[in-house]
Amino acid sequence: MRLLFPLLLAAILVVATTGSEEEFLNQIHALQPRYGGGGTPVQGLSCLSWRLSVEAHNIIDWKTVPQACKDYVGHYMLGHQYRKDSEAVVDEALVYAQSLQLGGDGKDLWVFDIDETTLSNLPYYAKHGFGVEPYNSTLFNLWVDDGKAPALPESLKLYGKLLSLGLKVVFITGRPESQRNVTTKNLHKAGYHTWEKLILKESSYTGYTAVAYKSSERKMLEKDGYRIAGNIGDQWSDILGTYVGNRTFKLPDPMYYIS
Ligand SMILES: *[C@@H]1O[C@H](CO)[C@@H](O)[C@H](O)[C@H]1NC(C)=O
Ligand SMILES: *[C@@H]1O[C@H](CO)[C@@H](O)[C@H](O)[C@H]1NC(C)=O
Ligand SMILES: *[C@@H]1O[C@H](CO)[C@@H](O)[C@H](O)[C@H]1NC(C)=O
Ligand SMILES: [Mg+2]
């Protein structure tokens, strides 16, 4: 297994760098996840326990994935489990959405975060250690500016069904206003064809946490008469704070933490 992982990863990276996003997503199933966290302890925790603690927001404010969990997180992200966990989230969101009595005035909203929610930066993180390497904004922005991030397939499915139920979609992202055009293009390319608003982080929010910025933007939506029925993101900062919406849904993301 130790030898196989780098080989399979190398194969996937070739696809990721030379092929289309569709090919990349098809290849995501090629790796088998390592159940039990690969048996690698992190200060007494298995990597699986570390990931569960991260997802449950018991471990917070962490900077990078522990080096010992790089293989584990890589297998998780590229294997079946990330897909299955994302699907479980989306399935619950859909059951809830289908139960809603909408106002019929076009003011019922669903808020989506973008990175690791609407779009997937997995091709980037697969090349950069699955969160083991410290965040490098220069390199990450080059990737974003390419506009080639694929959709997270489960979120794209949720998006389509929410629209057909009559909900409006608003994207609230920590991406800066300067990335509006490339983000718009990328969303279209990935299959997101319509939305009520695309809210990017204006420079006036510099120094604000994601929790503060997103709460403030959601408050303005509610002030404009919108009702936030649902809210989905991969970070707790997408769904904590104020005006979070009647229900929130947390997608998995063991690669990075944003407060
Ligand atoms: C980010 O990556 C670039 C290109 O590899 C490198 O020159 C730069 O030093 C990195 N920045 C940080 C903060 O590591
Ligand atoms: C973004 O797109 C709009 C309309 O397509 C264009 O007018 C504007 O110059 C673009 N902005 C940047 C920063 O490229
Ligand atoms: C959200 O919850 C409030 C208070 O319980 C309720 O009045 C409202 O109808 C709910 N909105 C939606 C969109 O479900
Ligand atoms: Mg995100």
Side-chain angles (χ1 to χ4, degrees), residues 96 100-103 107-109 167 227-230 245-247:
Y96 164 66
L100 290 170
Q101 305 275 320
L102 300 187
K107 290 288 193 178
D108 293 296
L109 285 190
L167 284 141
R227 296 176 298 272
I228 302 174
N246 279 24
R247 274 201 65 181

Side-chain angles (χ1 to χ4, degrees), residues 119-195:
L119 300 176
S120 172
N121 301 304
L122 195 46
Y124 173 85
Y125 285 102
K127 273 199 231 170
H128 294 279
F130 298 106
V132 166
E133 295 173 17
Y135 175 68
N136 184 315
S137 58
T138 309
L139 290 177
F140 186 69
N141 285 329
L142 282 174
W143 153 257
V144 167
D145 289 342
D146 258 358
K148 290 195 305 205
L152 192 79
E154 293 74 22
S155 294
L156 184 58
K157 179 179 102 179
L158 174 65
Y159 165 88
K161 297 209 167 162
L162 293 176
L163 288 180
S164 68
L165 287 171
L167 284 141
K168 295 282 163 59
V169 166
V170 168
F171 297 111
I172 306 182
T173 176
R175 291 183 177 198
E177 192 57 47
S178 58
Q179 288 174 337
R180 177 175 293 277
N181 282 5
V182 72
T183 300
T184 301
K185 252 172 57 186
N186 197 152
L187 286 171
H188 281 294
K189 184 168 155 55
Y192 300 92
H193 49 86
T194 186
W195 49 82

Side-chain angles (χ1 to χ4, degrees), residues 5 9 12-13 16-17 21 24-29 31 70 72-83 86 114-131 140 143-144 148-154 175 186 252-256:
F5 177 67
L9 190 54
I12 283 164
L13 287 179
T17 47
E21 305 79 71
F24 179 83
L25 285 170
N26 290 338
Q27 292 296 316
I28 277 177
H29 295 278
L31 288 175
K70 179 180 177 179
Y72 170 74
V73 171
H75 275 84
Y76 173 76
M77 293 304 296
L78 295 176
H80 293 285
Q81 199 60 45
Y82 176 51
R83 301 260 66 80
S86 300
I114 293 188
D115 291 301
E116 269 53 73
T117 298
T118 299
L119 300 176
S120 172
N121 301 304
L122 195 46
Y124 173 85
Y125 285 102
K127 273 199 231 170
H128 294 279
F130 298 106
F140 186 69
W143 153 257
V144 167
K148 290 195 305 205
L152 192 79
E154 293 74 22
R175 291 183 177 198
N186 197 152
D253 187 353
M255 298 191 298
Y256 56 88

Side-chain angles (χ1 to χ4, degrees), residues 209-216 218 236-238 240-242 258-259:
T209 61
V211 171
Y213 151 62
K214 293 196 169 192
S215 293
S216 162
R218 289 190 304 260
W236 277 87
S237 53
D238 298 325
L240 289 176
T242 53
I258 297 171
S259 55

Side-chain angles (χ1 to χ4, degrees), residues 234-251:
D234 65 295
Q235 297 290 318
W236 277 87
S237 53
D238 298 325
I239 56 174
L240 289 176
T242 53
Y243 304 91
V244 293
N246 279 24
R247 274 201 65 181
T248 60
F249 295 90
K250 169 70 175 70
L251 284 163

